[in-house]
Amino acid sequence: MFLRCGKFKLPLTRPLIMGVVNVTPDSFSDGGKYFEFNQTLAHARALIAEGADILDIGGESTRPGAAPVGLEEERRRVLPVIEALAGGAVPISVDTQKPDLMREAVAAGASMVNDVCGFRAPGAFEAVAAGDTAVCIMHMQGEPRTMQHHPHYTDVVEEVRGYLAERVRVAESAHIARERILIDPGFGFGKTLEHNLALLRQLRKFRDIGGALLAGLSRKALLGAITGREPAERVFASVAAALIAVQNGAQIVRVHDVAATRDALAVLGAAGQN
Ligand code: HH2
């Protein structure tokens, strides 16, 4: 079992850590902190030193209520960072919904494209089909500006599963091989606390869709609802959530706090629980 990720072939025999690098002034947990180029690079390199297996570079916040960012501005934020980090020891992912930027990021050296909108923009799968870039297909109900207003499902697990299975089918018909595909139920994207907890509890049901299973719970509002803590104080809750996700079948966890997650996963692994 492995994930094809550009020139990298990542083993899925142990859980992998995707470190989050937000090049944004407004991300919900670390907005503005790493917005300046040198700060961004220093942060990215620190995450690699802490044990990140993949870095996810994003130039547009998708937090609930976030305003969209134009192509030119998103390009200006992420491309120099990707160019500076590509060619290093870990694969670089770009977190974008824009087909033009997907293409440019891959040309700049990105080995993965992560799209919270599941490659639904016209031409998105076509932008990444050629070559061997990994693609992360996430579920979102609605769009960031309004997604938390009235999330509604009859059966959240079945509906998200059905959506991801269909998107994997479309990806494969666009000639994207299974070994390049990741799927992600999209915690917090058009979901209430109960929806998120149902998905976390039943995460294993996503394993038979095909595609490596990624979970992103780090510092999210659902953890704030449980603990009463602000985003920067949700490290312990995030580590707990990552452990539960891995125990329930996640193969990759997307996190802000790499060192803490790595240690926790090392203990889990030593106890033979993953
Ligand atoms: N969550 C966020 C952004 N991108 N991609 C995937 N595949 N899965 C996720 O759960 C996910 C994601 C939101 O987190 P963050 O990047 O920290 O915040 P913001 O969107 O405000 O930059």
Side-chain angles (χ1 to χ4, degrees):
M1 266 201 315
F2 67 90
L3 174 70
R4 168 68 58 195
C5 196
K7 67 173 194 233
F8 297 87
K9 194 171 162 181
L10 302 178
L12 294 171
T13 43
R14 65 166 176 90
L16 300 177
I17 298 177
M18 172 187 260
V20 179
V21 178
N22 284 322
V23 199
T24 55
D26 58 343
S27 284
F28 77 94
S29 76
D30 55 4
K33 233 174 133 184
Y34 311 112
F35 194 44
E36 193 270 318
F37 182 71
N38 290 323
Q39 281 175 333
T40 309
L41 280 194
H43 178 57
R45 292 188 174 124
L47 295 187
I48 295 172
E50 288 175 20
D53 299 291
I54 305 164
L55 289 185
D56 191 33
I57 318 292
E60 178 180 35
S61 172
T62 50
R63 75 182 191 289
V69 173
L71 173 62
E72 192 48 50
E73 174 62 12
E74 198 179 334
R75 195 182 256 151
R76 198 187 60 72
R77 293 179 185 179
V78 300
L79 289 180
V81 177
I82 293 169
E83 275 160 16
L85 295 169
V90 306
I92 304 301
S93 161
V94 62
D95 188 346
T96 186
Q97 305 171 46
K98 299 185 179 70
D100 284 339
L101 190 58
M102 292 175 184
R103 222 176 260 111
E104 292 165 13
V106 172
S111 307
M112 183 187 300
V113 177
N114 171 28
D115 183 357
V116 297
C117 143
F119 296 83
R120 279 178 289 158
F125 275 137
E126 289 76 7
V128 294
D132 43 19
T133 313
V135 301
C136 181
I137 303 171
M138 199 195 80
H139 174 274
M140 164 164 58
Q141 186 179 82
E143 38 122 8
R145 212 166 38 79
T146 52
M147 66 191 177
Q148 289 307 105
H149 290 182
H150 301 289
H152 177 79
Y153 303 84
T154 308
D155 180 336
V156 66
V157 173
E158 274 317 301
E159 284 170 56
V160 174
R161 258 190 108 260
Y163 169 87
L164 291 173
E166 169 62 12
R167 296 309 293 161
V168 168
R169 203 189 55 70
V170 176
E172 287 187 310
S173 61
H175 305 290
I176 297 170
R178 207 41 91 91
E179 66 188 37
R180 296 170 56 196
I181 299 177
L182 297 91
I183 52 166
D184 178 349
F187 289 98
F189 285 85
K191 282 132 193 143
T192 62
L193 175 60
E194 275 316 313
H195 295 143
N196 286 311
L197 292 175
L199 289 166
L200 182 58
R201 255 181 243 119
Q202 298 182 63
L203 207 49
R204 196 163 290 282
K205 290 194 175 161
F206 291 82
R207 280 291 291 272
D208 62 6
I209 293 175
L213 181 58
L214 183 144
L217 291 135
S218 185
R219 300 193 189 180
K220 285 192 176 168
L222 74 136
L223 303 177
I226 296 168
T227 61
R229 295 194 186 277
E230 292 303 310
E233 298 166 351
R234 295 176 192 160
V235 181
F236 306 125
S238 299
V239 170
L243 285 191
I244 296 166
V246 167
Q247 285 189 299
N248 288 355
Q251 293 162 293
I252 300 134
V253 284
R254 182 181 181 278
V255 306
H256 300 85
D257 304 291
V258 171
T261 308
R262 189 211 44 203
D263 282 4
L265 289 177
V267 176
L268 194 71
Q273 298 288 307
N274 58 25

